[in-house]
Amino acid sequence: MGATAITGSRLKCPFGVAPGVFIATPSPVFAAGPNVGRCTDCIPFFNVSGFALCTSLMNPITAAQTAAAFGVLTPGTCIPTPAGTWLPINPSVLVMGIPILDTTSKLICAFGGGIIEVAGSIQSVVTE
């Protein structure tokens, strides 16, 4: 198990031009202050910030801008579009009955099939 994803953890996408930020859905369970992420925390712009611009041609904005530029790749606005919940999950550690996120968790974006990952966390969970 990797470090636990909490509010403020960095996210990365292979098609994004800047890192994103993870924001856990508030719950009564905290890890030294910030909320702990759960596999259901995948709402665009609420849990998963954008990555500034997207270079995937499967993103309709990027595709349109690239076509308008006569085929020159022109990144469009990043709109995270999760194709489900975070995977893989660690079913042995639960918060309110829902598995937590860690730095091994992945989220697939429907625009381009980019695999969003937790790039860094500032908290480790101690399990006893």
Side-chain angles (χ1 to χ4, degrees):
M1 180 176 144
T4 304
I6 59 171
T7 294
S9 295
R10 290 184 329 272
L11 301 175
K12 67 178 178 178
C13 175
F15 297 113
V17 299
V21 176
F22 175 75
I23 301 165
T25 300
S27 74
V29 179
F30 299 92
N35 284 301
V36 173
R38 297 173 282 175
C39 70
T40 53
D41 292 345
C42 56
I43 300 169
F45 301 114
F46 182 77
N47 301 121
V48 180
S49 73
F51 300 92
L53 298 174
C54 177
T55 60
S56 171
L57 289 174
M58 291 181 67
N59 178 335
I61 299 168
T62 302
Q65 290 181 176
T66 299
F70 303 102
V72 176
L73 180 63
T74 307
T77 304
C78 171
I79 301 172
T81 310
T85 60
W86 288 90
L87 298 170
I89 54 178
N90 183 353
S92 64
V93 181
L94 307 176
V95 170
M96 298 180 67
I98 302 171
I100 66 165
L101 296 182
D102 62 26
T103 52
T104 65
S105 300
K106 312 249 185 284
L107 181 66
I108 298 172
C109 181
F111 282 175
I115 298 176
I116 299 169
E117 299 178 85
V118 179
S121 180
I122 54 176
Q123 175 69 41
S124 294
V125 166
V126 177
T127 56
E128 297 178 1

